[in-house]
Amino acid sequence: MNDNRSQRPPEQGGIEIFPIPGIPLVQPGDDVAGLIIEAAAAAGLSLETGDVLVIAQKIVSKAEGRLVRLADVTPGEEAVRLGAGGGGNTPEGAVRRAEGTGKDARVVQAVLDDSNAVVRARAGVLIVEQSSGWVCAHAGLDHSNVAPEEEETVALLPADADASATAIRGRILEETGAAVAVLISDSHGRPWKMGTVGVCIGCAGLPALWDQRGLTDLFGYELVASEECIIDELCAAATLVMGQSSEGRPAAIIRGYRRPDAADAPARSIQRPAEKDMFR
């Protein structure tokens, strides 16, 4: 256990959250940091040292070329098996519908190609451990907010969102002189509650968890199990102003958050090891 008994929580005042409007549709190879800096300036916003910049995963994935054309995907035996082979083919014979999940077998294959393991498969849902370690539906693969192409295209999660956050943070420091924290956010469902929530899959410049074990409560009792997931809380808050559909605001600035005295850590550090997961 960390000995935090001499530490006190930082005195938090209010925080402000500013969505950044005017970020154009991102294309493979685009400079995400540059686009955000330009859009913020056009909106009369600036990035300041101590800010937390939250960025939607989708624009990072698109800039990094994490896109899959379904026309290029040939489903393998496991994709067909997970789909149980039902539903028949399209007139072109290219798509087999999944009996178990109801998913296009090409989509199932794209999910498997970016996964370490299948956790659950049932009608409408395929839960996997994505290649970066996130346990989520369909490996985070998404059709939404991917500009329509001649062929249907889906976006994968960044290959290493922590590295992406670090690179964007470095570019912002280089271009503006502002030492901001950068969080990359995705929308995940939760096994025990309805609805999706913004969560963090990439982090640079903040502690991911604040271990409060060893601190005391208002009555002097020592905390023995309290670890606060700072980065998920910040991403969830930012998602309220960024939106999750057609808002067109894929980034937001959080100002006024006072970080605890704890070391920076990547988002991957919040992943629960499989051997400690009682439900997997």
Side-chain angles (χ1 to χ4, degrees):
M1 179 184 296
N2 296 335
D3 188 357
N4 292 333
R5 282 170 289 187
S6 63
Q7 299 183 26
R8 301 306 312 162
E11 292 292 333
Q12 295 289 351
I15 64 171
E16 297 176 289
I17 306 176
F18 307 98
I20 303 175
I23 297 172
L25 291 176
V26 172
Q27 304 297 325
D30 279 351
D31 175 10
V32 169
L35 293 176
I36 289 173
I37 292 168
E38 291 175 8
L45 299 170
S46 62
L47 290 164
E48 301 176 2
T49 293
D51 285 348
V52 179
L53 175 64
V54 181
I55 306 172
Q57 157 269 321
K58 187 64 59 62
I59 66 170
V60 177
S61 292
K62 290 169 72 174
E64 294 179 353
R66 293 281 288 166
L67 303 173
V68 175
R69 293 173 67 249
L70 293 182
D72 297 334
V73 177
T74 301
E77 291 184 7
E78 187 177 5
V80 174
R81 179 185 63 79
L82 280 170
N89 298 332
T90 62
E92 297 75 25
V95 180
R96 227 177 301 190
R97 303 301 300 184
E99 192 174 78
T101 63
K103 301 294 179 184
D104 182 333
R106 300 171 303 172
V107 172
V108 175
Q109 186 62 55
V111 170
L112 294 178
D113 288 343
D114 196 35
S115 300
N116 298 326
V118 174
V119 178
R120 293 285 187 275
R122 58 176 297 176
V125 181
L126 181 60
I127 306 296
V128 300
E129 181 187 294
Q130 188 262 348
S131 58
S132 295
W134 304 108
V135 176
C136 57
H138 315 131
L141 179 147
D142 198 358
H143 292 81
S144 66
N145 290 320
V146 178
E149 306 290 345
E150 183 178 346
E151 300 289 346
E152 191 175 8
T153 303
V154 294
L156 308 174
L157 296 186
D160 184 341
D162 285 318
S164 302
T166 299
I168 292 169
R169 183 176 189 244
R171 283 278 294 122
I172 289 172
L173 180 61
E174 176 185 345
E175 292 297 319
T176 70
V180 303
V182 173
L183 304 181
I184 296 176
S185 176
D186 194 16
S187 297
H188 285 192
R190 298 159 297 163
W192 313 122
K193 296 181 179 180
M194 301 297 289
T196 59
V197 172
V199 300
C200 187
I201 63 169
C203 174
L206 273 180
L209 288 170
W210 180 27
D211 185 353
Q212 298 181 46
R213 293 172 296 178
L215 295 178
T216 55
D217 69 7
L218 289 172
F219 304 101
Y221 293 106
E222 183 174 326
L223 304 179
V224 296
S226 295
E227 292 182 281
E228 183 178 0
C229 189
I230 293 169
I231 56 176
D232 274 355
E233 291 178 326
L234 291 169
C235 282
T239 300
L240 290 172
V241 301
M242 292 163 63
Q244 298 191 25
S245 55
S246 63
E247 293 84 356
R249 297 191 295 259
I253 300 166
I254 299 177
R255 183 162 295 158
Y257 176 72
R258 299 176 185 175
R259 57 172 287 165
D261 182 15
D264 294 352
R268 285 192 187 189
S269 63
I270 71 176
Q271 293 173 355
R272 190 183 299 278
E275 63 272 16
K276 294 184 178 180
D277 186 341
M278 294 187 293
F279 304 100
R280 218 191 298 188

